[in-house]
Amino acid sequence: GAGVSQSPSNKVTEKGKDVELRCDPISGHTALYWYRQSLGQGLEFLIYFQGNSAPDKSGLPSDRFSAERTGGSVSTLTIQRTQQEDSAVYLCASSLVMGSPEQFFGPGTRLTVL
Amino acid sequence: DQQVKQNSPSLSVQEGRISILNCDYTNSMFDYFLWYKKYPAEGPTFLISISSIKDKNEDGRFTVFLNKSAKHLSLHIVPSQPGDSAVYFCAASSSGAGSYQLTFGKGTKLSVIP
């Protein structure tokens, strides 16, 4: 597929459990972003990766959130000790190069914390 | 504090008429603006963008207007078609921010009535 893919599409978990969300960016895209959209809200920036540079983590809401990007391609967003307020759609986006404002989004992972 | 505001949560327009979606921003460092379209259960799709050095950008039925002095932009769709029914997000970025993270509004749900 040519687009950004994310897995799982839906995740239901119990409060206090850890979850991992995966993103496969478009091949060749060097920049990768994570956003989340809570109910009735716009998309909220979480973290940004560009090549081998240190990621911009300025949007992560707490230290329970972390992300890594292996080999400059696939990224995993991990949420530890999930809380109900973590329930949201988590969206991954990629862009061809830094300085290209157009970002291409995946379909998202809908996370529900019970 | 919301830096990008879409004050109309919804808009209904008759097929064939013009749809006008509005967006206001507060951060004067924003220099690139984008519109995304989102269908249910899908990620946002890039629609059209405009740099702050321009005041208008046109692509087929879609035109974006930027009024920097008023910190206001709008998306015009003409003629509107039923397939345009979706949630439209306004987004902004600052080249000075380094990461090109997008700041999104909360979205406007457009319904085009056949």
Side-chain angles (χ1 to χ4, degrees):
Chain A
V4 177
S5 61
Q6 292 185 246
S7 61
S9 55
N10 280 284
K11 176 71 176 179
V12 180
T13 190
E14 293 179 349
K15 177 182 173 181
K17 301 274 189 174
D18 298 352
V19 295
E20 281 191 356
L21 312 179
R22 177 188 167 106
C23 171
D24 282 270
I26 294 172
S27 177
H29 279 197
T30 60
L32 186 148
Y33 302 77
W34 283 97
Y35 294 84
R36 73 175 176 181
Q37 184 181 17
S38 302
L39 190 64
Q41 302 297 313
L43 281 72
E44 173 192 8
F45 167 76
L46 297 177
I47 189 169
Y48 160 77
F49 295 91
Q50 169 58 40
N52 295 321
S53 302
D56 176 357
K57 304 179 182 180
S58 60
L60 294 179
S62 79
D63 58 8
R64 295 186 296 105
F65 288 71
S66 63
E68 62 178 23
R69 188 178 185 193
T70 53
S73 180
V74 171
S75 178
T76 303
L77 177 69
T78 302
I79 308 173
Q80 295 178 309
R81 305 182 301 282
T82 52
Q83 303 294 312
Q84 288 184 331
E85 60 263 28
D86 299 335
S87 297
V89 176
Y90 288 81
L91 290 150
C92 175
S94 69
S95 65
L96 185 57
V97 294
M98 190 175 76
S100 171
E102 289 86 2
Q103 297 174 19
F104 298 86
F105 284 82
T109 294
R110 180 174 295 278
L111 175 66
T112 303
V113 181
L114 301 176
Chain B
D1 181 36
Q2 262 199 291
Q3 298 187 62
V4 177
K5 299 179 184 179
Q6 293 177 258
N7 291 320
S8 297
S10 63
L11 175 68
S12 288
V13 172
Q14 205 74 29
E15 180 179 4
R17 299 288 184 98
I18 185 170
S19 295
I20 300 176
L21 297 98
N22 293 302
C23 178
D24 297 289
Y25 62 97
T26 57
N27 188 340
S28 57
M29 297 300 292
F30 288 146
D31 55 10
Y32 203 87
F33 304 89
L34 308 89
W35 285 93
Y36 281 83
K37 174 180 178 180
K38 187 179 184 302
Y39 292 118
E42 294 183 10
T45 303
F46 170 72
L47 195 57
I48 192 169
S49 62
I50 188 167
S51 164
S52 60
I53 62 173
K54 295 185 176 182
D55 54 19
K56 176 183 175 181
N57 188 26
E58 193 171 351
D59 183 2
R61 296 185 297 113
F62 303 91
T63 303
V64 56
F65 295 92
L66 175 63
N67 182 335
K68 282 182 292 184
S69 61
K71 293 192 176 69
H72 177 83
L73 62 154
S74 61
L75 174 67
H76 293 211
I77 306 172
V78 56
S80 301
Q81 299 174 353
D84 296 330
S85 297
V87 177
Y88 288 78
F89 289 98
C90 172
S93 72
S94 168
S95 56
S99 66
Y100 299 93
Q101 61 178 269
L102 296 177
T103 301
F104 284 85
K106 292 187 178 182
T108 296
K109 183 177 182 179
L110 174 65
S111 299
V112 180
I113 304 161

